[in-house]
């Protein structure tokens, strides 16, 4: 599945004003297994376009792994689409920008502008953010519903 963030976010059913934010998180694996990346303190925020300019969508999350973080792939999708992306799907979407905050943790931010037309064509209701974190040692963690938000309007 080769989709840009806009193709997935806006061509499925469209996007509109997003209201609520629900943090997503994931615990590390059991002590006997190698540590996998963990996502903590995740939040999604949407600002609708205004008369003076474009709006934006941002998802921010702290990602940690004992080897450090290589990257994070993110996609937002409307629940009404029944899309439910997989880890394999997320390998071909755009990456968040990750900045190291310690040896094993990075703050990753995924953001893009939203035009008035895109907002007008948006699906209303619940939306999800899916995330795929990759550690420097190659371990991955996929979270199908890392954050939830509502599109209103």
């Amino acid at each position: 599945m080769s989709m840009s963030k806009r193709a997935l976010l806006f061509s499925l059913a469209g996007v509109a004003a997003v209201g609520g934010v629900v943090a997503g998180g994931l615990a590390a694996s059991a002590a006997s297994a190698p540590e996998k990346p963990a996502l903590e303190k995740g939040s999604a925020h949407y600002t609708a376009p205004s008369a003076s300019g474009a709006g934006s969508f941002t998802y921010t999350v702290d990602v940690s792994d004992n080897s450090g973080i290589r990257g994070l792939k993110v996609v937002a999708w409307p629940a009404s689409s029944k899309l439910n992306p997989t880890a394999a799907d997320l390998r071909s979407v755009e990456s968040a920008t990750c900045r190291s905050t310690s040896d094993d943790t990075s703050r990753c931010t995924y953001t893009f502008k939203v035009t008035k037309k895109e907002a007008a064509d948006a699906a209303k209701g619940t939306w999800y953010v899916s995330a795929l974190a990759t550690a420097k040692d190659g371990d991955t963690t996929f979270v199908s519903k890392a954050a939830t938000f509502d599109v209103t309007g």
Side-chain angles (χ1 to χ4, degrees):
M1 176 166 99
S2 178
M3 297 183 224
S4 75
K5 59 188 171 195
R6 282 197 200 282
L8 183 56
L9 186 61
F10 293 108
S11 71
L12 291 173
V15 161
V18 173
V21 174
V22 175
L26 195 101
S29 298
S32 61
E35 185 177 327
K36 299 279 188 180
L39 284 71
E40 299 175 331
K41 302 178 189 169
S43 65
H45 180 74
Y46 176 86
T47 302
S50 66
S52 61
S56 65
F57 174 81
T58 302
Y59 172 68
T60 302
V61 65
D62 290 339
V63 186
S64 59
D65 184 82
N66 60 352
S67 70
I69 300 304
R70 181 181 306 155
L72 181 75
K73 302 279 191 161
V74 178
V75 70
W77 51 281
S80 63
S81 73
K82 309 285 190 225
L83 183 65
N84 203 17
T86 65
D89 295 332
L90 264 70
R91 287 187 169 88
S92 63
V93 300
E94 294 184 24
S95 297
T97 300
C98 296
R99 303 213 189 288
S100 181
T101 58
S102 71
D103 288 344
D104 63 355
T105 302
S106 293
R107 170 145 305 156
C108 299
T109 303
Y110 170 77
T111 189
F112 61 90
K113 293 185 189 267
V114 178
T115 68
K116 289 178 188 177
K117 173 152 179 36
E118 291 166 334
D121 293 341
K124 309 303 185 259
T126 301
W127 280 70
Y128 300 113
V129 175
S130 295
L132 176 65
T134 303
K136 287 183 178 177
D137 64 7
D139 287 341
T140 61
T141 296
F142 172 69
V143 183
S144 64
K145 295 177 183 168
T148 303
F149 57 91
D150 292 318
V151 174
T152 60

